[in-house]
Amino acid sequence: MQLDNGEYRVYGHLERYTSAIEAMVRERQYATRKYTTVIMFKKDQIRFKKGEVIALSGESGVGFPHLHYEHRSRTNVPRNPLAHGLYVKDTRAPILQEIAVKPLRPGSTVNGCDSVYVAALKGGTKNQYAVERPIQAYGCIGFALNGYDCADAAGNKFGLYRTRLFLDDSLLFSAMYDSFNFETTRQVHLDRDLFLIRSGMGDFYNLYREEGTILPFYGDFPANAGLLGVQDLPADGLHRVRILADDVSGNSAEATIALYYIKPPVIARIDLLPHGKSAHFVAHIEPGGFPVRKTDFFISPDGNQWKKILSREVLAQHYYSCEADSTPLGFFYVKALASDSLGFESTPLVTGYASSIPRKAVSLPSPELFLSAQGDLLTVTLISGAPLPREPDISVSINDTAIQLPIPRSSRPGEYTVKFRAAFSGQKNLGVVATVLDFNGSARVFGKQFQVGGSSRESGIVVTSPDNIASAYVRKGAVFNQTFIWLQLYPDSLVRTWPELVQASLSYAFEPGVVYYDQKLSIGIKAPRKPKTGLFTSKGGEGWRFNSSEYDTKSGNYTGAIWEHIPFCLFTDEIPPAVSFRPGQGKPDTVPGQGLLISVDDRGAGINAESINAFIDSQWTLCEYDPEKKSVSVFMDSVTAGNHLLSFSVRDNLDNETVVSVPFVRP
């Protein structure tokens, strides 16, 4: 609805309209024989005065009954209604729950690890929150905030209006959520951390500006604003990180973090010096910003149950040792964990050993090689399945050009990882070779090939699965940030289906799991055309969702499109939808004045809402389909008293059809 001042208001998820609009909608629905219809009104065709009823709120949207309301400018740009005239009494400050501290470049760490660290915010008295313990960070670091706003008399949660990030009282970043262009809708995933959302960890506001974003929230702050260690490294030592969150009414909450920006200690290797039935372990340590206080050693026969061995002495500045009374027979693991004088820990290092084993018993199972990606950061992981006497030698070549790699690290038993960055230039053949030394001193070589695509906003790519059956096309400009993408087989053990679906191909998955897209990604599976068959995408543990039955005869591919990286597969569904009537179950019955309710369900390809048709005495009548309730309401507006015959038909998305006829009595 357009106001006289030129602004727009949008009201959605309604139950019904006023009589004038309702009559026009009904006329259009019967003319097109469709429940869903579009009517373009002329200027001033229908006018309302302040205080008049426009429509009645309902539950035609997803979830519980609610009103969808939008406040748009004269140029049709959605704006924050609370900041533009919609008054809600609010004397309560935002609620702050958690802080995420994220290492974003190779070599960056948070509390000694290269993974996201989420810390609970404690307090809340006088709207002041804090992380209880200091956090260590080094390298390129980003922050994110999990919080929400609330009003005096409203039980629902509001979004934050403004966030600000300070380091030692210097403003690094600010975002204000005042307006939002339709053209940048998909970029919301650059403002909220999609990886944390998909991981079930919460809805976090990024407190930095991602490269490539044109969202209108950040004012004059440039790309990478808010990130530590991108332009200039903060001085080593203790810093105060302060985060302010405001609502529209000016209520504010503050969170503080004691941050030690300092390099943690690194354990380079662990040596074993046998001494009879006992053993002497020596950890070689690269000190960080503070002196090493201690190193703890642990021993385990299987990598699951660990026994702590107390450290004995510091041999020198870079060495730490301990003595074990006895070592397990056969394979065993040793883990070392160093901590500095402030208590900040290194990433643990795990090394495998063997003792008292006949030579014929020391052969290793075949290691497995895996590749993962986050943007242009690639990680090679080797899982050995047994202890190794030293780190494997891993080499990588891209399009037959070798690249330099750091030494693989192991923080978990039998698992070795190495991370590196690579440039982008379309399709790449990436070869990984691992040389593993067993306890006999014999070297074994394992290799694996990957076809990866490097994509940026300036390039489009096609990636294919290792068997050349599945493919994906990333259009030029489709990704926000540069990233590597490839396809791999999706394990059959993870394929969960309803009995209605028969698997018609292998299933495929993307790596990496999360990529931010601005356009849909085209997918395809090469297979002979078969009736009642189409592409489906995974719903996790809840089965599969129909995507498309389109078939490209030129390429021989079933084709579809997706917004995000989810597994996909071909399925055949030959079972029509299930239909039942309430009341009556197919017998003559009295239908009350409000109409007839029909249950429809299809656990295979899903209901095709456009296919639903109902005829009363051979005359088409209006139906409303509710996918959440899995029901169809048949309207009885013009049905007279007496005996009638209802004919009802519905198809699923693969054209399996159910047709039923039911006599009924209208009193």
Side-chain angles (χ1 to χ4, degrees):
M1 183 174 69
Q2 188 176 29
L3 306 185
D4 286 337
N5 65 4
E7 294 180 349
Y8 294 88
R9 301 293 183 267
V10 177
Y11 307 92
H13 301 170
L14 306 174
E15 184 67 26
R16 63 177 185 268
Y17 312 105
T18 56
S19 57
I21 300 177
E22 190 80 18
M24 296 179 64
V25 171
R26 279 286 190 271
E27 181 181 356
R28 180 71 175 174
Q29 288 172 325
Y30 275 92
T32 59
R33 288 194 172 188
K34 290 183 178 180
Y35 178 79
T36 302
T37 187
V38 176
I39 300 176
M40 303 301 294
F41 293 97
K42 298 177 182 178
K43 185 177 180 180
D44 293 333
Q45 184 175 353
I46 297 179
R47 291 188 61 85
F48 293 95
K49 296 179 181 179
K50 184 177 180 179
E52 283 190 83
V53 174
I54 301 170
L56 299 181
S57 179
E59 56 176 332
S60 56
V62 177
F64 52 83
H66 66 282
L67 174 67
H68 177 96
Y69 172 74
E70 292 183 25
H71 184 299
R72 297 184 186 176
S73 69
R74 292 180 178 89
T75 56
N76 213 26
V77 174
R79 300 191 297 187
N80 189 332
L82 296 176
H84 293 275
L86 180 64
Y87 175 73
V88 176
K89 185 179 180 181
D90 182 6
T91 61
R92 302 170 63 186
I95 305 297
L96 309 185
Q97 298 173 295
E98 295 171 308
I99 291 292
V101 188
K102 303 187 285 185
L104 298 175
R105 299 286 188 274
S108 302
T109 62
V110 177
N111 285 347
C113 298
D114 60 359
S115 56
V116 177
Y117 178 77
V118 176
L121 290 170
K122 303 294 184 180
T125 305
K126 296 184 179 180
N127 307 319
Q128 299 291 317
Y129 298 82
V131 176
E132 286 187 326
R133 299 183 60 185
I135 294 175
Q136 173 274 327
Y138 193 73
C140 179
I141 304 298
F143 297 89
L145 172 66
N146 184 9
Y148 62 91
D149 188 33
C150 48
D152 292 16
N156 53 311
K157 298 177 180 179
F158 296 92
L160 302 176
Y161 181 59
R162 182 171 64 165
T163 59
R164 285 173 286 173
L165 174 69
F166 296 83
L167 180 69
D168 299 329
D169 296 325
S170 295
L171 179 64
L172 300 183
F173 171 83
S174 178
M176 181 176 290
Y177 301 95
D178 186 79
S179 63
F180 189 63
N181 293 316
F182 286 112
E183 291 78 9
T184 57
T185 298
R186 298 297 303 178
Q187 289 206 5
V188 70
H189 296 316
L190 300 180
D191 184 72
R192 307 295 175 88
D193 194 306
L194 184 61
F195 175 80
L196 294 177
I197 293 174
R198 292 287 183 267
S199 303
M201 300 175 71
D203 188 2
F204 285 79
Y205 293 76
N206 282 332
L207 300 175
Y208 55 90
R209 182 169 186 169
E210 286 265 18
E211 290 187 12
T213 177
I214 56 173
L215 290 167
F217 308 145
Y218 312 121
D220 295 330
F221 284 96
N224 296 321
L227 295 180
L228 304 186
V230 174
Q231 302 296 334
D232 299 313
L233 292 176
D236 285 0
L238 179 62
H239 297 272
R240 181 173 179 249
V241 175
R242 191 161 59 99
I243 298 166
L244 290 180
D246 308 316
D247 63 21
V248 171
S249 300
N251 303 300
S252 182
E254 179 181 272
T256 57
I257 306 168
L259 180 77
Y260 279 94
Y261 192 83
I262 200 80
K263 184 179 179 181
V266 176
I267 301 177
R269 72 177 193 272
I270 305 171
D271 289 337
L272 169 65
L273 305 177
H275 188 267
K277 291 185 178 181
S278 64
H280 195 74
F281 298 107
V282 178
H284 298 252
I285 301 172
E286 299 172 4
F290 291 102
V292 175
R293 178 171 60 93
K294 67 170 184 174
T295 298
D296 292 323
F297 291 83
F298 304 82
I299 194 167
S300 171
D302 55 9
N304 296 316
Q305 301 295 322
W306 293 92
K307 177 184 176 182
K308 185 175 181 180
I309 311 169
L310 294 178
S311 304
R312 190 183 68 177
E313 61 180 335
V314 177
L315 299 180
Q317 183 180 2
H318 303 311
Y319 302 91
Y320 224 88
S321 71
C322 77
E323 185 173 333
D325 294 334
S326 62
T327 55
L329 295 178
F331 292 127
F332 65 95
Y333 294 96
V334 175
K335 178 170 66 175
L337 184 67
S339 56
D340 62 23
S341 56
L342 289 181
F344 295 123
E345 296 179 339
S346 68
T347 301
L349 181 67
V350 176
T351 302
Y353 293 101
S355 65
S356 304
I357 301 179
R359 291 180 63 85
K360 64 180 181 180
V362 298
S363 61
L364 296 174
S366 295
E368 294 184 81
L369 287 167
F370 299 93
L371 184 69
S372 60
Q374 185 175 0
D376 61 348
L377 177 64
L378 291 165
T379 301
V380 174
T381 302
L382 181 142
I383 298 180
S384 65
L388 300 178
R390 68 172 181 82
E391 292 82 3
D393 180 17
I394 297 178
S395 61
V396 171
S397 63
I398 297 180
N399 292 346
D400 298 325
T401 301
I403 62 174
Q404 291 292 113
L405 295 180
I407 297 174
R409 303 282 300 174
S410 176
S411 59
R412 287 189 284 187
E415 183 175 313
Y416 300 85
T417 60
V418 59
K419 297 186 176 184
F420 60 97
R421 302 183 81 170
F424 290 82
S425 58
Q427 192 80 13
K428 296 177 181 290
N429 294 314
L430 191 148
V432 180
V433 176
T435 303
V436 176
L437 187 70
D438 65 22
F439 286 95
N440 283 324
S442 302
R444 302 175 64 187
V445 180
F446 304 88
K448 195 168 185 179
Q449 291 286 330
F450 299 89
Q451 278 196 342
V452 301
S455 182
S456 65
R457 291 194 70 82
E458 290 75 35
S459 64
I461 58 167
V462 176
V463 294
T464 56
S465 59
D467 57 9
N468 292 317
I469 299 298
S471 60
Y473 172 54
V474 183
R475 294 174 178 84
K476 181 178 179 180
V479 294
F480 296 129
N481 296 328
Q482 57 186 19
T483 186
F484 281 108
I485 304 165
W486 65 94
L487 281 167
Q488 56 195 12
L489 291 175
Y490 188 60
D492 287 339
S493 60
L494 299 179
V495 177
R496 301 283 188 268
T497 66
W498 302 117
E500 287 83 350
L501 294 177
V502 177
Q503 194 168 345
S505 76
L506 296 174
S507 50
Y508 300 88
F510 287 92
E511 184 64 41
V514 176
V515 170
Y516 306 135
Y517 283 105
D518 200 20
Q519 302 174 28
K520 280 192 173 182
L521 178 70
S522 298
I523 56 174
I525 292 181
K526 188 181 295 294
R529 194 167 193 175
K530 183 180 178 182
K532 312 297 183 184
T533 299
L535 274 174
F536 288 70
T537 55
S538 174
K539 296 192 294 181
E542 300 179 3
W544 295 76
R545 178 183 290 109
F546 175 79
N547 182 269
S548 170
S549 59
E550 293 185 11
Y551 190 82
D552 183 359
T553 55
K554 185 177 180 180
S555 64
N557 281 342
Y558 281 91
T559 61
I562 54 178
W563 275 113
E564 56 185 302
H565 281 183
I566 48 179
F568 60 99
C569 186
L570 284 181
F571 286 100
T572 299
D573 174 13
E574 297 178 335
I575 299 177
V579 176
S580 61
F581 291 83
R582 295 179 290 179
Q585 299 298 322
K587 298 179 181 179
D589 199 273
T590 300
V591 176
Q594 64 266 30
L596 182 66
L597 196 62
I598 303 174
S599 295
V600 293
D601 191 17
D602 190 278
R603 299 200 304 172
I607 297 296
N608 179 353
E610 295 295 319
S611 74
I612 296 174
N613 277 295
F615 293 83
I616 296 178
D617 302 330
S618 301
Q619 296 294 316
W620 185 87
T621 190
L622 187 63
C623 295
E624 179 183 4
Y625 173 54
D626 188 331
E628 282 195 306
K629 295 180 179 179
K630 299 179 180 179
S631 64
V632 175
S633 299
V634 180
F635 289 76
M636 298 286 181
D637 298 348
S638 58
V639 179
T640 60
N643 296 317
H644 301 277
L645 180 67
L646 170 68
S647 297
F648 179 80
S649 65
V650 58
R651 298 193 305 272
D652 66 17
N653 285 305
L654 286 173
D655 286 335
N656 298 296
E657 186 175 30
T658 298
V659 180
V660 294
S661 296
V662 178
F664 68 93
V665 177
R666 185 69 182 269

